[in-house]
Amino acid sequence: MTKPPINNPKPIDDCFLHDKDRLTHQEALEILKTNITPISTAQTCATSEALNQVLAQTLTAPRPIPAHRNAAVDGYAFHHGNYDAQKGTRFKVTQRVTAGDPLLDTIAPDTAARIFTGAVMPTNLDTVVMQEDVTTQTDETGKIWVTIPGGMKPQANCRQAGEDTKQDDPLVKAGTKLKPQHIAAIASAGITQIPVYSPLKIASLSTGNEIIRDEKHFQLGKVFDSNGPMLQALAKTQNCQVQDLGIIKDDQPAIEATLLEAAKTHDVIITSGGASKGEEDHMISTLEKIGTRHMWQLAIKPGRPLCFGTIKSFGTIKNLEKPNDTLFIGLPGNPVAAFVCFILYVIPMLARLGGQTWPEPTRFKIPANFSINKKKPDRREFMRGTLVTQDGQACVKKFPKDGSGLIQSLTQADGLIEIEEDLTNLEQGQLVNFLPFSQWGL
Ligand code: AMP
Ligand code: MG
């Protein structure tokens, strides 16, 4: 079977393809982008509890924000039409207006009001001078006079109603993952309950006869499970509800039983290991038996065996607690490959399934402080990179070793260096794509 054209992506249903027939990074993303739609349902949440939730409906301002014209500084409010902008003006201070205690009447336009930050502007005054810029005097009758120097512009230091958001304008758009600043915008409109998408239910499991968690099982050949805790932590950064299904042996019936059980109650099952073509790899054959495999084998490094499919929730499974098919994501066993695949493919998938728009990663062009000689063409590589300063200029350093089992390459990195398919040689100082981990909250 040949590669699908990029503008008409189709699932590739063939295994063990030669390198050149593997899906490219872009092709894989196109397929995922085209096929994945939100599955979460909306629920109500208190605005104050909505951090990292995804807004299910665009919210508009029910009234202008700020709702009232008010003073931006502590000072004196006056009517600019009664003020000499060349020479300055002396006003009698006839009122005092504090925040939360508005003046209901107008004041004589040739007089000023003592005013404080946030206080509603008296209706017929339009300009505020800072208290630091004036001099005041008290006359023999005890009245206060304020001398305002020249140079004040009309409406200075006065916040207009609606200057932040006009009535009926959008406050935050549907599909936004809510950050503290979005919560501030919603709260500023007095909205205390909001519709958000329910978090995705994720099941995570590790596979491999050599994989253990408990130190008392440690012996020759055993490997501690780093993928399970890592993938669960990654899913939690995406606001998912994660259930740990532990470690399953390289045993087809055991894998099948676990996947079928997990599919009853989870939106997505994420596994690591056993997704290659070895005789002890049972993930793909099990998925083909109980569901549909949509693609695997990518022309990327690290992370070649990535499997994505669905497990039918109808027919084979009774007593369903959910209506959708369950999405299956089989990640490579090597921890670095699993991590890289998670951030490149799984994060956008989870974002979209959970109601967000498909997020595109941010790439910066940074000079490389390394060179590359004869990289394989037709394969995209994601190296681990650290930002460093050399001769006063920011550049990116590559982790010296390539192994996809080297977890230190992740802990010491600031992000991924992306070497595209057609880039086979790179000279020191040449610009490379750098994808910082911080954009994923990592
Ligand atoms: P596999 O994809 O099952 O062929 O595994 C590839 C490599 O990743 C092997 O060296 C495994 O021991 C290692 N590996 C698989 N699963 C895990 C895991 N959960 N934690 C750490 N290493 C793993
Ligand atoms: Mg294995």
Short mmCIF file of all heavy atoms in Angstrom, two decimals, residues 323-349:
data_model
loop_
_atom_site.label_atom_id
_atom_site.label_comp_id
_atom_site.label_asym_id
_atom_site.label_seq_id
_atom_site.Cartn_x
_atom_site.Cartn_y
_atom_site.Cartn_z
N PRO A 323 -20.98 5.99 25.69
CA PRO A 323 -21.45 5.72 24.35
C PRO A 323 -20.36 5.65 23.27
O PRO A 323 -20.57 5.04 22.24
CB PRO A 323 -22.36 6.91 24.07
CG PRO A 323 -21.82 8.01 24.92
CD PRO A 323 -21.15 7.38 26.09
N ASN A 324 -19.21 6.27 23.49
CA ASN A 324 -18.21 6.35 22.42
C ASN A 324 -17.33 5.11 22.36
O ASN A 324 -17.12 4.45 23.36
CB ASN A 324 -17.25 7.52 22.67
CG ASN A 324 -17.96 8.83 22.69
OD1 ASN A 324 -18.66 9.16 21.75
ND2 ASN A 324 -17.80 9.56 23.77
N ASP A 325 -16.78 4.88 21.16
CA ASP A 325 -15.69 3.92 21.07
C ASP A 325 -14.53 4.48 21.90
O ASP A 325 -14.41 5.69 22.06
CB ASP A 325 -15.21 3.78 19.63
CG ASP A 325 -16.22 3.02 18.80
OD1 ASP A 325 -17.18 2.49 19.37
OD2 ASP A 325 -16.02 2.95 17.58
N THR A 326 -13.71 3.58 22.38
CA THR A 326 -12.56 4.04 23.16
C THR A 326 -11.36 4.18 22.23
O THR A 326 -11.10 3.32 21.40
CB THR A 326 -12.26 3.03 24.27
OG1 THR A 326 -13.39 3.01 25.14
CG2 THR A 326 -11.02 3.41 25.07
N LEU A 327 -10.68 5.29 22.42
CA LEU A 327 -9.49 5.52 21.61
C LEU A 327 -8.31 4.80 22.25
O LEU A 327 -8.15 4.85 23.47
CB LEU A 327 -9.21 7.01 21.61
CG LEU A 327 -8.55 7.52 20.37
CD1 LEU A 327 -9.57 7.61 19.27
CD2 LEU A 327 -7.96 8.87 20.64
N PHE A 328 -7.53 4.14 21.41
CA PHE A 328 -6.37 3.42 21.92
C PHE A 328 -5.11 4.10 21.40
O PHE A 328 -5.00 4.38 20.20
CB PHE A 328 -6.42 1.96 21.42
CG PHE A 328 -5.16 1.20 21.72
CD1 PHE A 328 -5.04 0.47 22.89
CD2 PHE A 328 -4.07 1.24 20.84
CE1 PHE A 328 -3.86 -0.22 23.17
CE2 PHE A 328 -2.91 0.57 21.11
CZ PHE A 328 -2.80 -0.16 22.28
N ILE A 329 -4.19 4.39 22.31
CA ILE A 329 -2.91 4.99 21.88
C ILE A 329 -1.80 4.09 22.42
O ILE A 329 -1.62 3.99 23.64
CB ILE A 329 -2.74 6.42 22.40
CG1 ILE A 329 -3.88 7.31 21.87
CG2 ILE A 329 -1.39 7.00 21.96
CD1 ILE A 329 -3.98 8.66 22.55
N GLY A 330 -1.10 3.43 21.52
CA GLY A 330 -0.01 2.55 21.92
C GLY A 330 1.32 3.24 21.69
O GLY A 330 1.73 3.46 20.55
N LEU A 331 1.99 3.61 22.78
CA LEU A 331 3.26 4.34 22.66
C LEU A 331 4.43 3.38 22.72
O LEU A 331 4.31 2.27 23.28
CB LEU A 331 3.37 5.37 23.79
CG LEU A 331 2.31 6.47 23.77
CD1 LEU A 331 2.39 7.29 25.05
CD2 LEU A 331 2.49 7.35 22.56
N PRO A 332 5.58 3.77 22.19
CA PRO A 332 6.77 2.92 22.26
C PRO A 332 7.19 2.71 23.72
O PRO A 332 6.84 3.50 24.60
CB PRO A 332 7.84 3.72 21.52
CG PRO A 332 7.17 4.91 20.93
CD PRO A 332 5.83 5.06 21.54
N GLY A 333 7.95 1.65 23.95
CA GLY A 333 8.38 1.33 25.31
C GLY A 333 9.53 2.20 25.79
O GLY A 333 9.62 2.52 26.98
N ASN A 334 10.39 2.59 24.88
CA ASN A 334 11.52 3.41 25.31
C ASN A 334 11.01 4.74 25.87
O ASN A 334 10.24 5.44 25.21
CB ASN A 334 12.46 3.67 24.14
CG ASN A 334 13.35 2.47 23.89
OD1 ASN A 334 14.05 2.01 24.80
ND2 ASN A 334 13.30 1.95 22.67
N PRO A 335 11.41 5.09 27.10
CA PRO A 335 10.80 6.25 27.77
C PRO A 335 10.91 7.56 26.98
O PRO A 335 9.97 8.34 26.95
CB PRO A 335 11.58 6.33 29.09
CG PRO A 335 12.01 4.93 29.35
CD PRO A 335 12.29 4.32 28.00
N VAL A 336 12.06 7.80 26.33
CA VAL A 336 12.19 9.08 25.61
C VAL A 336 11.27 9.09 24.40
O VAL A 336 10.62 10.10 24.10
CB VAL A 336 13.66 9.31 25.18
CG1 VAL A 336 13.79 10.58 24.36
CG2 VAL A 336 14.56 9.38 26.41
N ALA A 337 11.16 7.95 23.74
CA ALA A 337 10.26 7.85 22.58
C ALA A 337 8.81 8.04 23.04
O ALA A 337 8.03 8.75 22.38
CB ALA A 337 10.44 6.50 21.90
N ALA A 338 8.46 7.44 24.16
CA ALA A 338 7.09 7.58 24.67
C ALA A 338 6.80 9.04 25.01
O ALA A 338 5.74 9.57 24.68
CB ALA A 338 6.90 6.71 25.91
N PHE A 339 7.77 9.71 25.63
CA PHE A 339 7.62 11.12 26.01
C PHE A 339 7.44 12.01 24.76
O PHE A 339 6.54 12.84 24.68
CB PHE A 339 8.85 11.56 26.80
CG PHE A 339 8.80 12.96 27.33
CD1 PHE A 339 8.29 13.22 28.60
CD2 PHE A 339 9.28 14.03 26.59
CE1 PHE A 339 8.26 14.51 29.10
CE2 PHE A 339 9.25 15.33 27.08
CZ PHE A 339 8.74 15.57 28.35
N VAL A 340 8.33 11.81 23.79
CA VAL A 340 8.30 12.64 22.58
C VAL A 340 6.98 12.42 21.83
O VAL A 340 6.33 13.38 21.40
CB VAL A 340 9.53 12.34 21.69
CG1 VAL A 340 9.39 12.97 20.31
CG2 VAL A 340 10.80 12.83 22.38
N CYS A 341 6.57 11.16 21.69
CA CYS A 341 5.30 10.88 21.00
C CYS A 341 4.14 11.50 21.77
O CYS A 341 3.18 11.99 21.17
CB CYS A 341 5.06 9.38 20.86
SG CYS A 341 6.07 8.67 19.56
N PHE A 342 4.21 11.46 23.09
CA PHE A 342 3.11 12.03 23.87
C PHE A 342 2.98 13.52 23.58
O PHE A 342 1.89 14.01 23.31
CB PHE A 342 3.33 11.79 25.38
CG PHE A 342 2.08 12.02 26.19
CD1 PHE A 342 1.32 10.94 26.62
CD2 PHE A 342 1.66 13.30 26.50
CE1 PHE A 342 0.15 11.14 27.34
CE2 PHE A 342 0.49 13.51 27.22
CZ PHE A 342 -0.27 12.43 27.64
N ILE A 343 4.09 14.26 23.62
CA ILE A 343 3.92 15.70 23.45
C ILE A 343 3.59 16.07 22.00
O ILE A 343 2.85 17.00 21.76
CB ILE A 343 5.09 16.53 24.01
CG1 ILE A 343 6.39 16.20 23.35
CG2 ILE A 343 5.20 16.40 25.50
CD1 ILE A 343 7.52 17.09 23.88
N LEU A 344 4.12 15.30 21.04
CA LEU A 344 3.87 15.67 19.64
C LEU A 344 2.47 15.27 19.17
O LEU A 344 1.85 15.99 18.39
CB LEU A 344 4.89 15.02 18.72
CG LEU A 344 6.34 15.49 18.89
CD1 LEU A 344 7.25 14.71 17.96
CD2 LEU A 344 6.46 16.99 18.61
N TYR A 345 1.99 14.10 19.60
CA TYR A 345 0.73 13.57 19.06
C TYR A 345 -0.37 13.49 20.11
O TYR A 345 -1.52 13.82 19.83
CB TYR A 345 0.94 12.17 18.46
CG TYR A 345 2.05 12.13 17.45
CD1 TYR A 345 3.27 11.53 17.74
CD2 TYR A 345 1.90 12.73 16.20
CE1 TYR A 345 4.30 11.52 16.82
CE2 TYR A 345 2.92 12.72 15.26
CZ TYR A 345 4.13 12.11 15.59
OH TYR A 345 5.15 12.11 14.67
N VAL A 346 -0.02 13.00 21.31
CA VAL A 346 -1.08 12.71 22.28
C VAL A 346 -1.62 14.00 22.89
O VAL A 346 -2.83 14.15 23.06
CB VAL A 346 -0.59 11.72 23.36
CG1 VAL A 346 -1.74 11.37 24.30
CG2 VAL A 346 -0.03 10.46 22.72
N ILE A 347 -0.75 14.96 23.18
CA ILE A 347 -1.25 16.22 23.76
C ILE A 347 -2.26 16.88 22.82
O ILE A 347 -3.38 17.21 23.25
CB ILE A 347 -0.10 17.17 24.17
CG1 ILE A 347 0.54 16.64 25.46
CG2 ILE A 347 -0.59 18.61 24.36
CD1 ILE A 347 1.64 17.48 26.04
N PRO A 348 -1.96 17.07 21.52
CA PRO A 348 -3.01 17.67 20.68
C PRO A 348 -4.26 16.80 20.57
O PRO A 348 -5.38 17.33 20.53
CB PRO A 348 -2.34 17.85 19.31
CG PRO A 348 -1.04 17.15 19.37
CD PRO A 348 -0.68 16.95 20.81
N MET A 349 -4.08 15.46 20.57
CA MET A 349 -5.27 14.59 20.50
C MET A 349 -6.14 14.78 21.74
O MET A 349 -7.36 14.93 21.63
CB MET A 349 -4.84 13.11 20.43
CG MET A 349 -4.34 12.70 19.06
SD MET A 349 -3.42 11.14 19.17
CE MET A 349 -4.72 9.97 19.16
#
